[in-house]
Amino acid sequence: MVRLAGRLTERRIGARVLVGIGLSMAALLVLFVVLVVGARAPVVAGPPVAAAHDGRPVPGEQYLWRPVAIGGGGFITGMSIDDSGQTMVARADVYGAYLWQPEANRWRQLVTAQSMPQAEVRQNALADGVYEIVVAPSDPRRIYLAIKGGLYRSADQGKTWQRGRLDGATRLAFDANGEFRLSGPFLAVSPSNPDLVLFGSPENGAWRSIDGGTTWSLVSGLPKGTDLSPKQGLQTAGASFWFERRGSGAGRIFAMSPGNGPYVSTDGGARFAPLPSATPGPRRLKQGSFAADGSFFGVDDETRKIWRYRDHRWQDLSDRPGLSPRAYATIAIDRKSGLVLVTDQGGRSFAGTPDGESWYRVGRDVEVGKGDPPWLHVADSGYVATGAIVADPQVTGRFWIASGVGPMVTNLGKGQRSMTWVTQVRGIEELVANDAIQPPGGSPLFAAWDFGIHVKDDLNAFSTTYGPRERVLIAAQQIDWSPADPRFIVTNASDTRTSCCSEDGDAVLAGYSSDGGRTWTKFPSLPQPPGTRGNDPWRMSMGMIAVSSNSVDNIVWMPTYFRSAYYTLDRGRSWNRVILPGEKLPFTGTHGQWFMQRKVLAADRVRPGTFYLFHSGNSRNPGLRGLWRTTDGGVHWQRVFRGDIAPANSAAAKLRAVPGKAGHLFFTSGVDGAQDTRLRRSIDGGQHWTVLDAVDHVDDIAFGKAAAGSRYPTLLLAGRIGGEYGIWRSTDEARSWQRIGAFPLGSLDQISVIGADPDVFGRVYLGFKGSGWIYGEPAPCGAAAVTPTRECYRVR
């Protein structure tokens, strides 16, 4: 336990069935049927049952940490398999990479506190997607990884990692979630020499290692990619590499420098020169593959073509019968049959003969794999976002697909005109967490980018559906409940694809639920904020939303893009604009971009019609900086605190109202870095703030059930206390803290949101930037080692 010295600086239990003695004959008959025939009463949905019932901290207390089972839901951007088929890995664009474990029939996260070098085991150090991962074709134990500016090697199938040394550089620049993340491979290993590796960085050029990734040096003769986008700064992909397998020795190595065209090396990648061709060829390729005869096939999403290089000539195959120009995404060649499989960005597939001259369309459907999340049936649609396809090196006609909902597998025989993609995502939690709430007496709700709101009666069973509607895609940025009716939930769910896909009229599914999030109703109307067009489906979307403590009809919603907030007193039938004195139209809001994990609008949990809004003051309205309050549901607003509550507050700041405590608020800027990120608190509705000195960094804070004997909700947060990072709990209003977790389940991902159970003491939900949610609660769980699904932590 950490005791804070000094003063604060200014600034479900299962339902019981009681059976009486005097049962009637009819009742006895019913009982006989139940016992003998085995009939079961319907399961009534409700909150997850507690693992322990102490209700307060106890000596020797342990915390059991487990994943919240939702499953998949994020883009797997690439895959790699060694020649023996023993090791298969997949990379994710938001956090980490995964190893397939056939003995467990699931994936395992590779980027963990147990596997990475100790220097990287710190808060947010590796909270990023993986730019590339590849298995050495000739050694299933050897894996190479590019993440967050570093190149890593493993000689034990990812159990441990070592960081390579860069000649003349400390870190490289690449973006695992950037525009060109579906290109590649950016890492490639020689088929015959597991020590020979090449890597392409967009900004730092091409790199080579001949000692198994221990040291890296720049490659000669291969230029960096050209700028491929009018956006500010260099917008390009890193170089991609392909090793030829034909013949003995190293063979040729092809490289694509985006915008510059193809290059070749004949000396193991020490030097590259332009690839000679008697005909014009591509200036960029998204992906490619060597065929058994030495021909090279590539897909070009810029010119929407399929290319073949053979006999020093490039040929455009897109005019062959069965093909047409389109946004081709990936290509794979079955090593044994020579079948060529090409897929566009939406999963529409075409199969070709080994010479590339004859093609035919292959139909596709999607099936949820055995043991996978049932809600993934939504992927069986006309468009399946596809990042890469990899041919299985051992099974003829089997292909692995890296898709927008996770990995899939399919089998395609020669001449076969249809195939089924079967999901294989178990073990992968890749949703981007936006929110987590649990109303008193209800089940917890988890809100995510892309795949909406999941209501969880059982935290350990995969979701069967999500809300507000099974629409691909719908993102829920925030959810809130009302003390007036805890079953009433509001959301600002919206599709983040603001340049397409509004034809169904449901690009914005913002609205409410009256049954704890199981069914939803759209708001009857949407307002038109100043500076927007009336025909813009996203004019009022995303952002921040809150519902009053005393009326489910009273809702305040501030959309994104700095647009003005609105309030409703009739549950969305009509809206009125929030007017802040001194504002300058049109952009009076404080939620800048749709992707911001920003929640600075909150309803007081006790006082009627009272809402709080912290405004960071945007470039058009710097004078609005401070905390604003309304006590009449949003009609009138008064600034009760002028200026910054804490610095660096314009991005991921959180303003949290304490349940059951009128005027009690907590504030954190929610960012990492050198700024003052200490926790702030107010007990007078935001007029005055104190700084909790020892709580020197906070990602987010939540309020759980009070400990037995305490009158104040239990405080739960992720951050640093006394300079030590962890998950912390206080049962005495922040006077002392207990560490209930370090890096739960070994996750090095960034925590972006925290929720807590108001009915189970100590249960807390952690939402991550790119790996879904996990939950922890007091439990007598022993001293088991950390596994992908279970960790016991002794509270201290």
PDB file of all heavy atoms in Angstrom, residues 564-576:
ATOM      1  N   SER A 564     -20.340  23.087 -32.688  1.00  0.00           N
ATOM      2  CA  SER A 564     -21.064  23.505 -31.492  1.00  0.00           C
ATOM      3  C   SER A 564     -21.818  22.360 -30.847  1.00  0.00           C
ATOM      4  O   SER A 564     -22.323  21.456 -31.526  1.00  0.00           O
ATOM      5  CB  SER A 564     -22.071  24.613 -31.849  1.00  0.00           C
ATOM      6  OG  SER A 564     -21.419  25.785 -32.266  1.00  0.00           O
ATOM      7  N   ALA A 565     -21.922  22.446 -29.531  1.00  0.00           N
ATOM      8  CA  ALA A 565     -22.707  21.480 -28.768  1.00  0.00           C
ATOM      9  C   ALA A 565     -24.182  21.833 -28.848  1.00  0.00           C
ATOM     10  O   ALA A 565     -24.566  22.987 -29.081  1.00  0.00           O
ATOM     11  CB  ALA A 565     -22.252  21.464 -27.318  1.00  0.00           C
ATOM     12  N   TYR A 566     -25.025  20.817 -28.602  1.00  0.00           N
ATOM     13  CA  TYR A 566     -26.474  20.996 -28.582  1.00  0.00           C
ATOM     14  C   TYR A 566     -27.042  20.266 -27.377  1.00  0.00           C
ATOM     15  O   TYR A 566     -26.458  19.299 -26.874  1.00  0.00           O
ATOM     16  CB  TYR A 566     -27.112  20.449 -29.862  1.00  0.00           C
ATOM     17  CG  TYR A 566     -27.005  21.403 -31.038  1.00  0.00           C
ATOM     18  CD1 TYR A 566     -25.809  21.525 -31.740  1.00  0.00           C
ATOM     19  CD2 TYR A 566     -28.086  22.184 -31.420  1.00  0.00           C
ATOM     20  CE1 TYR A 566     -25.691  22.405 -32.806  1.00  0.00           C
ATOM     21  CE2 TYR A 566     -27.987  23.073 -32.491  1.00  0.00           C
ATOM     22  CZ  TYR A 566     -26.786  23.185 -33.170  1.00  0.00           C
ATOM     23  OH  TYR A 566     -26.689  24.065 -34.209  1.00  0.00           O
ATOM     24  N   TYR A 567     -28.200  20.735 -26.922  1.00  0.00           N
ATOM     25  CA  TYR A 567     -28.910  20.046 -25.848  1.00  0.00           C
ATOM     26  C   TYR A 567     -30.344  19.772 -26.295  1.00  0.00           C
ATOM     27  O   TYR A 567     -30.904  20.457 -27.155  1.00  0.00           O
ATOM     28  CB  TYR A 567     -28.909  20.880 -24.555  1.00  0.00           C
ATOM     29  CG  TYR A 567     -29.737  22.140 -24.598  1.00  0.00           C
ATOM     30  CD1 TYR A 567     -31.075  22.139 -24.182  1.00  0.00           C
ATOM     31  CD2 TYR A 567     -29.194  23.342 -25.068  1.00  0.00           C
ATOM     32  CE1 TYR A 567     -31.843  23.299 -24.215  1.00  0.00           C
ATOM     33  CE2 TYR A 567     -29.948  24.499 -25.118  1.00  0.00           C
ATOM     34  CZ  TYR A 567     -31.277  24.471 -24.685  1.00  0.00           C
ATOM     35  OH  TYR A 567     -32.034  25.617 -24.739  1.00  0.00           O
ATOM     36  N   THR A 568     -30.931  18.744 -25.724  1.00  0.00           N
ATOM     37  CA  THR A 568     -32.328  18.422 -25.972  1.00  0.00           C
ATOM     38  C   THR A 568     -33.025  18.194 -24.648  1.00  0.00           C
ATOM     39  O   THR A 568     -32.430  17.660 -23.701  1.00  0.00           O
ATOM     40  CB  THR A 568     -32.469  17.171 -26.877  1.00  0.00           C
ATOM     41  OG1 THR A 568     -33.869  16.857 -27.032  1.00  0.00           O
ATOM     42  CG2 THR A 568     -31.788  15.963 -26.260  1.00  0.00           C
ATOM     43  N   LEU A 569     -34.272  18.629 -24.575  1.00  0.00           N
ATOM     44  CA  LEU A 569     -35.101  18.401 -23.390  1.00  0.00           C
ATOM     45  C   LEU A 569     -36.227  17.435 -23.673  1.00  0.00           C
ATOM     46  O   LEU A 569     -37.070  17.181 -22.799  1.00  0.00           O
ATOM     47  CB  LEU A 569     -35.676  19.742 -22.905  1.00  0.00           C
ATOM     48  CG  LEU A 569     -34.639  20.822 -22.548  1.00  0.00           C
ATOM     49  CD1 LEU A 569     -35.331  22.131 -22.194  1.00  0.00           C
ATOM     50  CD2 LEU A 569     -33.750  20.361 -21.399  1.00  0.00           C
ATOM     51  N   ASP A 570     -36.244  16.883 -24.901  1.00  0.00           N
ATOM     52  CA  ASP A 570     -37.324  15.969 -25.292  1.00  0.00           C
ATOM     53  C   ASP A 570     -36.771  14.720 -25.998  1.00  0.00           C
ATOM     54  O   ASP A 570     -37.366  14.208 -26.924  1.00  0.00           O
ATOM     55  CB  ASP A 570     -38.354  16.689 -26.169  1.00  0.00           C
ATOM     56  CG  ASP A 570     -37.737  17.347 -27.393  1.00  0.00           C
ATOM     57  OD1 ASP A 570     -36.562  17.053 -27.704  1.00  0.00           O
ATOM     58  OD2 ASP A 570     -38.426  18.181 -28.020  1.00  0.00           O
ATOM     59  N   ARG A 571     -35.602  14.274 -25.572  1.00  0.00           N
ATOM     60  CA  ARG A 571     -34.984  13.036 -26.049  1.00  0.00           C
ATOM     61  C   ARG A 571     -34.695  13.042 -27.549  1.00  0.00           C
ATOM     62  O   ARG A 571     -34.812  12.042 -28.240  1.00  0.00           O
ATOM     63  CB  ARG A 571     -35.840  11.839 -25.659  1.00  0.00           C
ATOM     64  CG  ARG A 571     -35.044  10.534 -25.478  1.00  0.00           C
ATOM     65  CD  ARG A 571     -35.881   9.357 -25.048  1.00  0.00           C
ATOM     66  NE  ARG A 571     -36.591   9.584 -23.785  1.00  0.00           N
ATOM     67  CZ  ARG A 571     -37.304   8.660 -23.170  1.00  0.00           C
ATOM     68  NH1 ARG A 571     -37.438   7.451 -23.707  1.00  0.00           N
ATOM     69  NH2 ARG A 571     -37.931   8.937 -22.034  1.00  0.00           N
ATOM     70  N   GLY A 572     -34.295  14.188 -28.040  1.00  0.00           N
ATOM     71  CA  GLY A 572     -33.832  14.279 -29.408  1.00  0.00           C
ATOM     72  C   GLY A 572     -34.865  14.600 -30.441  1.00  0.00           C
ATOM     73  O   GLY A 572     -34.564  14.610 -31.641  1.00  0.00           O
ATOM     74  N   ARG A 573     -36.090  14.892 -30.010  1.00  0.00           N
ATOM     75  CA  ARG A 573     -37.087  15.324 -30.997  1.00  0.00           C
ATOM     76  C   ARG A 573     -36.765  16.721 -31.489  1.00  0.00           C
ATOM     77  O   ARG A 573     -37.006  17.058 -32.642  1.00  0.00           O
ATOM     78  CB  ARG A 573     -38.495  15.251 -30.401  1.00  0.00           C
ATOM     79  CG  ARG A 573     -39.029  13.817 -30.251  1.00  0.00           C
ATOM     80  CD  ARG A 573     -40.468  13.793 -29.789  1.00  0.00           C
ATOM     81  NE  ARG A 573     -40.586  14.163 -28.377  1.00  0.00           N
ATOM     82  CZ  ARG A 573     -40.442  13.301 -27.368  1.00  0.00           C
ATOM     83  NH1 ARG A 573     -40.182  12.031 -27.620  1.00  0.00           N
ATOM     84  NH2 ARG A 573     -40.563  13.697 -26.122  1.00  0.00           N
ATOM     85  N   SER A 574     -36.203  17.521 -30.618  1.00  0.00           N
ATOM     86  CA  SER A 574     -35.741  18.859 -30.996  1.00  0.00           C
ATOM     87  C   SER A 574     -34.442  19.146 -30.254  1.00  0.00           C
ATOM     88  O   SER A 574     -34.182  18.595 -29.178  1.00  0.00           O
ATOM     89  CB  SER A 574     -36.803  19.916 -30.662  1.00  0.00           C
ATOM     90  OG  SER A 574     -37.029  19.976 -29.258  1.00  0.00           O
ATOM     91  N   TRP A 575     -33.631  20.031 -30.840  1.00  0.00           N
ATOM     92  CA  TRP A 575     -32.332  20.375 -30.275  1.00  0.00           C
ATOM     93  C   TRP A 575     -32.156  21.886 -30.266  1.00  0.00           C
ATOM     94  O   TRP A 575     -32.653  22.591 -31.146  1.00  0.00           O
ATOM     95  CB  TRP A 575     -31.202  19.744 -31.089  1.00  0.00           C
ATOM     96  CG  TRP A 575     -31.199  18.251 -31.120  1.00  0.00           C
ATOM     97  CD1 TRP A 575     -31.884  17.441 -31.990  1.00  0.00           C
ATOM     98  CD2 TRP A 575     -30.463  17.376 -30.250  1.00  0.00           C
ATOM     99  NE1 TRP A 575     -31.627  16.122 -31.720  1.00  0.00           N
ATOM    100  CE2 TRP A 575     -30.748  16.047 -30.652  1.00  0.00           C
ATOM    101  CE3 TRP A 575     -29.595  17.586 -29.183  1.00  0.00           C
ATOM    102  CZ2 TRP A 575     -30.191  14.938 -30.023  1.00  0.00           C
ATOM    103  CZ3 TRP A 575     -29.033  16.489 -28.557  1.00  0.00           C
ATOM    104  CH2 TRP A 575     -29.330  15.179 -28.964  1.00  0.00           C
ATOM    105  N   ASN A 576     -31.440  22.357 -29.301  1.00  0.00           N
ATOM    106  CA  ASN A 576     -31.066  23.766 -29.217  1.00  0.00           C
ATOM    107  C   ASN A 576     -29.556  23.865 -29.035  1.00  0.00           C
ATOM    108  O   ASN A 576     -28.944  23.055 -28.328  1.00  0.00           O
ATOM    109  CB  ASN A 576     -31.769  24.458 -28.051  1.00  0.00           C
ATOM    110  CG  ASN A 576     -33.271  24.500 -28.239  1.00  0.00           C
ATOM    111  OD1 ASN A 576     -33.799  25.283 -29.015  1.00  0.00           O
ATOM    112  ND2 ASN A 576     -33.969  23.620 -27.523  1.00  0.00           N
TER     113      ASN A 576
END
